[in-house]
Structures are given as C-alpha cells and as structure tokens.
C-alpha cells in the first residue's frame, strides 16, 4: 500500500513544481514530464472513525500544476468523453492562469453541478479515459485529473461567496412541476425556472436531494454541497414541497387536470433495491444497501447524540456486490463501528464495476475482499438473527453479453462463513409507483420510463422524464444531461402552447 | 469532402513519443497497411530508410516511407500526434504529422508525385491546424480549407495528384 502523504507535503511538492514550470513557454514534452498531482486525503486510520469527506481537495498550487499538465489538444478528445460536453481544455487553461472565476463559468455553460460532478463522476471511464496525456504516458492513472480540477474551481466559487444564481426571465404564467429532487430534477428545475415558469418540486422524503442525500455517503459527498444547490434553486424561486409522494399524495393525472400543471418532469430515480431471492434474506440483520445507507446518510444514524435513528450493532459484516454502492455500504459499516467488513463478489478485482478510487479507498480503510464467491443462503439463530452465510466458490468462464467474464460455480465448494450482518448491494431498479398509478405512461420490461432520446418526452403529452427512472441506475452526470435535455424540450413545448392558446 | 468514407483506415491519432514506436503505431492503426503482402518487411524497410537519414523535414512534418515489391499502387497512412514525436527532425522540432508511405521500386514516378501532392497541402499552416482539430471520426466541425479538403480527399481515395482534376488544380501555378 502507498504511504499516506499529508496535504502539507503534497502542497510543498506542488509549490516547487509551480516555481519550476510557471511563467515559461511549455512544450508538450515539458507538460508530460510534470507528475500527476495526488489528491490529499484524510489518513485511513483517522477517517474510518469519522464521517468527514475523505478526499480533501487540491491546494491552489496543486490545481495550477495539474492544469499545466493539460496539452490543450486541438481535437479535445476529453470533451467527447463528457456526457454534457463541457469545454474541458478551456476551463483547465483558465485554472492554470489562476483565474478560477472564469474557469468555473466555462464549466457552468454546460454543467449545473460542478462541485458534485467533480466528486462523484466516473472520470476514468469518461473524460479522462480519452485524455491524450494518459494515452501518451500509457496509463489512464496518469491522465490529467480533470475531475479534481473541476472540484477545486467549483469549491473555490462557493467558498469565496462569488457564486451567482442564474437570472430568471419574467413570468410566463405557466406552471410546471418536477417530481423528485435528485440531480436530474435539480437541473431540470433550474432550467425551467430560468425561462420564467413557475416551478414546484415534489420530494417524497422529508429532505431533498434524492440519491445525492440518501445514497451517497457524507464521506464521499458532503451534504452541505447538495444543500447549496437546493438553496440556489430556492433563491431562484423554485418551490419545494417535502413529504409529497406523487402517485399517493396526488396522482399524475390529478396534478395535470386538477392542479393545473402545464408540464411535468419525472425524475424519480432508481430507488427500488434488488434482492438475490435466496433463503434467509428475511432474517434480522439483512439489509438492502439502500436501506442501510439511507439510515446512515439521510437519517444520520451515525450521529448517535443527535439522531434517534436505531443502529444495528454489527461485528462481522458481509456486503454482496462489487459496485460503488457496495463500496459505500462497506465503508459506512466500518464507520458505524463494525469490527470486520468483507465484500463478497462473484468475479475478481478486475471485473468489479466500482470506481478504482473507491476500491482503493475501501482497501486502505481495511475492508476485506472475498473474490470469486457467491452467496447461496443466509442462516440464522432461533431468534431469527443472522449467524452465518453459505458461500460457493466460483471460477471465471466465458465473457457474457456485457463483455465481463461470467462466474461459474464449482460444485462441492460450498462452505459456511460467520457473519452477523448482510448488506445486499446488487443494484437498484426503477421506482415503480408512478408507473403503477398512471394510465398511459409507457415503460419497458425493466420498469424504466420510455422516452424520446432527443427530447425526453414520454408517451403522455406534456410529461417528460430523465435520470435513473429512464436510464436504470446510472450516473449523476447522465441524469443531469437528461434533466437539461428535457427542460429544453419542455420550454419549447410550453412556448408552443402559448402561441396556440 | 467525402463524408461517408471511413477515415479510420488511413488516419489515426498516435500517442507514442519515440520515432520507432510512432512509425509502428501508424502502421498498426491504419488498417490500409494490412493489405500489404508482408507488413513486417515493410516495417523494416521504413525503419532502415529512417536510419539512413531522418524524414522529419521540419514544421512538424515527417514522411516516412519504405519500398516493397509488387504493390499495385502507392499507399499512404497519416498519424496525428498532439504531443509531438521526438523524431530527430531537420529543424529539431517534434513531429505532429507523420505520413507513412508504402511504395514499390517500380513506382518511383508515382511515389514522387505523391510526395509532391502531399507537401503542397501540408505546407500550409492552416491545413496543419485543421488536421490537429480532427476528432475521432475525422470529421472536421468547420468546413475545411480547399487545401485541407483536397488532402482528405486524396487520403480517402488513396489517389495522390494535384495535376489532375478537382478543386485546386495546377492552373494557379
């Protein structure tokens, strides 16, 4: 394992590099020679005992040095890797100059939520995947750290109080609502409000932010950042209704016909946990990752002095799955006081869908990894509490349709392992409530709402949808991109209605 | 410019930083060279020629070439390097435009004509800028200059001549 470097050490290194490289003409060769800047982070043994953000963010010298690594490619392959097409070389050039205000405004031309995307976007499979620097140095890990620069300039904007909310056009007299308050809905709400429509946001829970709040843990995405985005919406005049479950509190048709909404955006997300359907899954001590994370993130179970949310006291935790949610759940379990946490995954490290950084962080913190094992059943004691899990060993077979090699169980290799808690993190499906309570809304066999790719329009006139409810469990940036696309089409739809009225 | 042509077979982005690696990268990535009777012999021919004297002629341009027998026509692939290849060029600058030409000893006239046609286009700084802006699909968002589109057309057709027909002709000279 790599030795831990403190933020001060990393900053000193960066200062030296800055003196060495700044203020002179740099050839591509020189830029390639600048070492990638490591993200300062809390020391692993400290951070497992708190909920604070693990990655501390670059220092000013680090961000400027990292920005000098960008070759400013004329063909900008990074931009093609970005789902919302941020002008990446331009915002990095501004950051290298130290003009962070200009840098963040370049990002905001295309992205609403840079402080969030800088933290949770899978850059290594998007912009940084195609980066010329990474390709020239023959390692994706050596690509320009675009996300970290993005995070720095976005944080700079909010910490200096230079943040400006978008201007709102004069009232159009049209009324629209967005259902849900996650990344797709936040983006759509802002773009709709900007046009001058009255915008109401309906959130089923008592706290807004969707998956950003209930799903992603505090140590990866501090909730104050999400709150800032929601405060910005409120300042623009978006009305937020908590504890309003569309489909129960009011049906979609009610909202349109009775309450007079001219258009609706559905961003209800993928919050329905999937289970393995194996024996013992109903025992006490088995959680969906969704429930486990919601207790900790949204209900603040970790904050025992302030929150009354009950906490399940675990000693040995098994987490089933290998995605980001599995990593989040495992790392949360450690912070909630578990003595030993093991990720049980059917394939190997290589096939794990989680981000490399999350896997590395989990390992640093002491999460154990049991590869090539699949759960068969969960066993409990006479009180119905989990005591053991039966696992079977697998080997990798031929690649399946997704290109990953599929695990094949080895008969006779079943064995029992002691665990008192099981967290199932094998994915989420779409929230089914709106589909179940709305006639005329077309969904596919997975329960995802079917939309027009260009406009995000659903089968119902005036109703648009985006984010995980359309894509299945995907990423924040894709959700944001769809929210933006939908809002654009909705603004056009509403303008059209005005003319015909 | 021909829009439906698959430029992947004749143009590629390269990331190698040394001469030998860069030449090999162009030969590997431009699938047009897969039709050569013996690709490894061609590789050796190009590298041997390079050992005699560098083909980095300056302004970021290099024209590596090798001759093997029995080619029915001259074939050209182009590698574009954003960060530049350390090429030992005449002017000492890194190479951003690496042409690799396959020819036969019996096609000397066609080969010279090809060199001439290529150089007439890339000698313009405007064309060189345009080339670097080409994306993965090698479709330039802005309309190319006439010299630029002429180069793209020549690569697409693998027919290199400025003496004949189309757009820019010899008439201006």
């Amino acid at each position: 394992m790599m030795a831990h470097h403190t933020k001060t050490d990393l900053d000193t290194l960066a200062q030296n590099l800055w003196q060495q490289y700044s203020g002179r003409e740099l050839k591509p060769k020189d830029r390639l020679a600048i070492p990638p800047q490591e993200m300062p982070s809390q020391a692993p043994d400290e951070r497992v005992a708190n909920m604070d953000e693990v990655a501390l963010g670059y220092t000013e010298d680090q961000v400027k040095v990292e920005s000098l690594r960008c070759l400013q490619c004329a063909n900008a392959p990074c931009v093609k890797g970005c789902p919302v097409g941020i002008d990446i070389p331009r915002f990095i050039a501004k950051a290298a100059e130290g003009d962070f205000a200009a840098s963040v405004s370049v990002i905001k031309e295309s992205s609403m939520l840079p402080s969030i995307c800088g933290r949770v976007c899978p850059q290594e499979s998007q912009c940084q995947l195609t980066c010329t620097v990474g390709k020239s140095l023959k390692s994706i890990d050596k690509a320009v750290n675009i996300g970290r620069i993005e995070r720095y300039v976005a944080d700079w904007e909010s910490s200096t109080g230079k943040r400006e909310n978008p201007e709102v056009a004069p009232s159009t007299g049209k009324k629209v609502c967005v259902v849900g308050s996650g990344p797709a809905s936040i983006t759509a709400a802002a773009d709709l409000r900007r046009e001058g429509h009255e915008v109401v946001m309906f959130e089923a829970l008592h706290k807004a932010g969707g998956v950003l709040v209930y799903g992603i843990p505090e140590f990866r995405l501090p909730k104050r950042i999400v709150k800032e985005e929601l405060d910005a919406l409120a300042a623009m005049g978006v009305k937020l209704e908590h504890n309003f479950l569309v489909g129960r509190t009011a049906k979609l048709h009610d909202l349109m016909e009775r309450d007079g909404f001219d258009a609706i955006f559905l961003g209800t997300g993928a919050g329905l946990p999937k289970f393995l359907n194996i024996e013992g899954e109903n025992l006490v001590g088995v959680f969906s990752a969704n429930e486990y994370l919601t207790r900790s993130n949204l209900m603040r179970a970790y904050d025992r002095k302030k929150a009354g949310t009950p906490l399940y006291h675990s000693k040995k935790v098994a987490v089933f799955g290998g995605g980001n949610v599995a990593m989040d759940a495992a790392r949360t379990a450690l912070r909630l006081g578990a003595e030993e946490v093991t990720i049980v995954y059917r394939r190997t490290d290589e096939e794990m869908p989680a981000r490399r950084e999350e896997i590395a962080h989990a390992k640093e913190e002491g999460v154990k990894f049991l590869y090539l094992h699949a759960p068969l059943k969960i066993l409990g004691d006479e009180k119905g509490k989990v005591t053991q899990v039966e696992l079977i060993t697998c080997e990798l077979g031929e690649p399946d349709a997704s290109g990953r090699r599929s695990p094949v169980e080895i008969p006779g290799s079943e064995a029992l392992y002691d665990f008192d808690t099981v967290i199932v993190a094998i994915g989420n499906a779409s929230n089914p409530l709106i589909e179940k309570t709305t006639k005329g809304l077309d969904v596919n066999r997975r329960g995802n709402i079917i939309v027009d790719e260009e406009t995000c329009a659903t089968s119902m006139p005036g109703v648009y949808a985006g984010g995980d409810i359309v894509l299945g469990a995907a990423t924040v940036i894709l959700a944001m991109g769809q929210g933006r696309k939908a809002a654009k089409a909705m603004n056009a739809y509403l303008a059209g209605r005005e003319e015909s009225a | 410019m021909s829009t439906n042509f698959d430029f992947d077979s004749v143009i590629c982005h390269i990331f190698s930083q040394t001469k030998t690696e860069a030449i090999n990268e162009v030969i590997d990535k431009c699938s047009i060279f897969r039709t050569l009777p013996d690709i490894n012999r061609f590789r050796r021919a190009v590298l041997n020629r390079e050992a005699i004297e560098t083909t980095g002629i300056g302004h970021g341009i290099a024209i590596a070439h090798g001759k093997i027998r029995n080619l029915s026509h001259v074939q050209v692939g182009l590698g574009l390097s954003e960060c530049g290849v350390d090429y030992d060029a005449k002017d000492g600058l890194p190479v951003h435009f690496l042409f690799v030409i396959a020819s036969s000893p019996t096609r000397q006239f066609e080969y010279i004509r090809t060199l001439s046609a290529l150089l007439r286009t890339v000698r313009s700084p405007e064309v060189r800028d345009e080339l670097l802006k080409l994306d993965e699909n090698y479709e330039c968002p802005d309309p190319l200059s006439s010299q630029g589109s002429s180069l793209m057309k020549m690569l697409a057709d693998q027919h290199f001549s400025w003496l004949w027909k189309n757009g820019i002709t010899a008439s201006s000279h």
Side-chain angles (χ1 to χ4, degrees):
Chain A
M1 197 185 292
M2 264 198 323
H4 183 77
H5 299 112
T6 66
K7 189 164 185 169
T8 329
D9 292 347
L10 293 171
D11 192 39
T12 315
L13 286 174
Q15 279 172 19
N16 292 338
L17 287 167
W18 179 249
Q19 272 167 9
Q20 193 183 334
Y21 286 101
S22 65
R24 64 183 178 100
E25 184 89 19
L26 293 179
K27 298 231 170 69
K29 263 249 133 101
D30 303 321
R31 295 183 190 274
L32 290 177
I34 305 174
Q37 297 298 295
E38 192 184 315
M39 181 60 128
S41 60
Q42 284 196 73
D45 51 339
E46 277 170 35
R47 69 189 189 227
V48 289
N50 67 46
M51 272 288 165
D52 299 340
E53 191 171 14
V54 167
L56 300 171
Y58 275 162
T59 65
E60 180 170 342
D61 282 305
Q62 277 192 295
V63 81
K64 288 198 290 194
V65 169
E66 187 65 31
S67 302
L68 287 183
R69 300 184 64 231
C70 174
L71 299 174
Q72 296 292 320
C73 303
N75 71 335
C78 48
V79 178
K80 273 138 232 147
C82 174
V84 296
I86 295 174
D87 189 343
I88 294 166
R90 195 152 57 91
F91 97 72
I92 293 184
K94 292 291 175 199
E97 290 166 20
D99 189 351
F100 304 127
S103 179
V104 75
S105 71
V106 171
I107 301 177
K108 290 214 164 165
E109 288 166 13
S110 342
S111 166
M112 266 288 292
L113 310 167
S115 53
I116 296 175
C117 293
R119 286 174 166 82
V120 301
C121 251
Q123 288 98 5
E124 68 273 20
S125 57
Q126 298 178 354
C127 52
Q128 292 174 200
L129 178 67
T130 51
C131 173
T132 307
V133 174
K135 293 213 166 160
S136 300
L137 299 175
K138 301 200 166 40
S139 162
I140 175 105
D141 298 333
K142 291 182 181 154
V144 176
N145 283 294
I146 299 166
R148 295 173 181 179
I149 303 173
E150 177 183 28
R151 168 183 163 164
Y152 180 89
V153 297
D155 285 357
W156 176 89
E157 185 192 40
S158 64
S159 67
T160 51
K162 299 241 166 70
R163 182 176 171 139
E164 278 171 28
N165 288 327
E167 266 178 50
V168 174
S171 171
T172 58
K174 299 279 177 217
K175 203 167 125 185
V176 297
C177 67
V178 301
V179 184
S181 62
S185 302
I186 291 177
T187 310
D191 285 358
L192 288 163
R193 180 64 195 142
R194 216 184 296 200
E195 199 75 6
H197 308 305
E198 184 188 335
V199 180
V200 181
M201 182 181 254
F202 293 118
E203 167 55 50
L205 298 170
H206 64 281
K207 213 157 141 193
V211 72
L212 303 172
V213 165
Y214 74 73
I216 304 176
E218 179 78 18
F219 56 81
R220 217 147 66 78
L221 176 66
K223 302 305 153 228
R224 62 174 164 78
I225 291 167
V226 184
K227 187 165 179 301
E228 259 173 44
E229 301 302 332
L230 292 163
D231 287 349
L233 283 186
M236 288 169 71
V238 172
K239 282 185 214 121
L240 181 56
E241 296 260 8
H242 290 111
N243 302 312
F244 194 109
L245 182 57
V246 174
R248 286 279 182 268
T249 320
K251 291 204 168 72
L252 213 54
H253 288 289
D254 297 338
L255 292 173
M256 300 198 82
E257 286 146 26
R258 187 188 65 197
D259 302 332
F261 285 104
D262 297 290
I264 296 181
F265 175 78
L266 300 173
T268 48
L272 182 70
K274 286 184 195 163
F275 282 96
L276 292 155
N277 295 318
I278 57 174
E279 197 183 322
E281 234 171 0
N282 289 321
L283 291 168
V284 180
V286 181
F287 298 85
S288 68
N290 209 315
E291 176 189 347
Y292 196 81
L293 289 169
T294 302
R295 276 171 187 263
S296 171
N297 299 335
L298 182 80
M299 311 292 288
R300 304 200 159 258
Y302 63 86
D303 197 353
R304 269 169 262 176
K305 286 189 190 113
K306 286 190 199 147
T309 310
L311 188 59
Y312 193 77
H313 293 281
S314 311
K315 288 205 171 77
K316 292 190 75 173
V317 180
V319 179
F320 298 161
N324 286 323
V325 176
M327 301 303 137
D328 285 346
R331 297 171 69 195
T332 299
L334 278 182
R335 283 162 175 76
L336 293 182
E339 284 161 18
E340 196 183 299
V341 180
T342 309
I343 297 237
V344 179
Y345 183 56
R346 298 185 299 161
R347 297 178 170 97
T348 70
D349 195 75
E350 218 162 279
E351 291 83 19
M352 268 216 243
R355 295 187 58 193
R356 294 291 110 185
E357 187 177 286
E358 306 306 328
I359 298 172
H361 276 155
K363 285 183 178 167
E364 284 169 16
E365 290 167 10
V367 173
K368 296 188 169 172
F369 286 75
L370 186 57
Y371 300 117
L372 292 169
H373 279 74
L376 291 182
K377 67 173 151 182
I378 306 167
L379 295 88
D381 60 14
E382 67 287 354
K383 288 183 194 151
K385 286 190 173 178
V386 175
T387 54
Q388 284 184 313
V389 173
E390 186 178 324
L391 302 176
I392 186 165
T393 312
C394 304
E395 58 188 354
L396 288 182
E398 293 300 304
D400 63 7
S402 70
R404 285 192 297 182
R405 295 179 64 188
S406 47
V408 181
E409 296 177 355
I410 304 171
S413 65
E414 300 86 349
L416 291 175
Y417 294 77
D418 289 339
F419 286 110
D420 57 49
T421 306
V422 169
I423 303 173
V424 183
I426 56 162
N428 280 302
S430 302
N431 283 332
L433 185 60
I434 292 195
E435 174 238 321
K436 293 250 164 15
T437 56
T438 310
K439 272 192 201 125
L441 188 64
D442 290 348
V443 298
N444 66 14
R445 68 189 161 79
R446 290 206 175 115
N448 300 334
I449 297 177
I450 299 168
V451 299
D452 179 307
E453 226 170 84
E454 288 308 308
T455 63
C456 287
T458 67
S459 54
M460 286 171 70
V463 178
Y464 296 74
D468 283 359
I469 189 69
V470 169
L471 301 164
T475 59
V476 171
I477 187 95
L478 285 174
M480 211 184 74
Q482 284 207 317
R484 173 142 283 180
K485 222 188 248 178
K488 193 173 161 213
M490 289 169 79
N491 286 332
Y493 168 81
L494 291 166
R497 292 221 326 165
E498 203 147 357
E499 277 158 29
S500 60
Chain B
M1 106 189 206
S2 19
T3 47
N4 294 326
F5 183 74
D6 172 20
F7 280 102
D8 271 357
S9 61
V10 289
I11 310 181
C12 62
H13 284 110
I14 58 173
F15 302 98
S16 302
Q17 291 175 53
T18 65
K19 185 191 257 197
T20 308
E21 281 179 356
I23 290 172
N24 278 323
E25 196 177 348
V26 176
I27 296 174
D28 290 335
K29 283 189 175 171
C30 292
S31 56
I32 187 169
F33 293 121
R34 278 180 219 151
T35 59
L36 295 179
D38 184 345
I39 193 163
N40 286 327
R41 179 179 286 251
F42 172 62
R43 252 183 243 282
R44 285 197 300 274
V46 174
L47 294 173
N48 285 341
R49 165 63 188 80
E50 210 62 45
I52 297 169
E53 194 187 11
T54 181
T55 59
I57 53 172
H59 299 284
I61 303 163
I63 305 194
H65 54 272
K67 293 195 173 64
I68 48 174
R69 284 164 195 271
N70 300 328
L71 286 190
S72 58
H73 60 279
V74 169
Q75 297 183 9
V76 181
L78 169 60
L80 302 169
S81 168
E82 188 70 49
C83 50
V85 180
D86 208 343
Y87 207 89
D88 185 26
K90 298 264 190 239
D91 59 0
L93 293 174
V95 161
H96 297 278
F97 313 93
L98 172 55
F99 290 96
V100 176
I101 307 180
S103 173
S104 280
T106 51
R107 308 208 155 261
Q108 199 60 3
F109 176 67
E110 191 184 339
Y111 168 68
I112 298 290
R113 212 177 51 198
T114 302
L115 273 187
S116 148
L118 290 175
L119 286 173
R120 291 184 72 82
T121 58
V122 289
R123 71 177 182 184
S124 139
E126 189 190 4
V127 171
R128 299 203 293 270
D129 283 348
E130 286 174 344
L131 285 178
L132 278 184
K133 284 192 194 130
L134 292 177
D135 66 12
E136 299 292 313
N137 302 318
Y138 305 102
E139 285 161 11
C140 208
D142 307 311
L144 286 164
S145 63
S146 65
Q147 291 280 9
S149 53
S150 158
L151 173 61
M152 295 299 276
K153 186 166 177 3
M154 287 195 294
L155 284 167
D157 299 347
Q158 287 289 303
H159 182 84
F160 302 89
S161 169
W162 52 274
L163 283 170
W164 305 346
K165 60 184 180 181
N166 81 42
I168 41 111
T169 61
S171 62
S172 58
H173 294 274

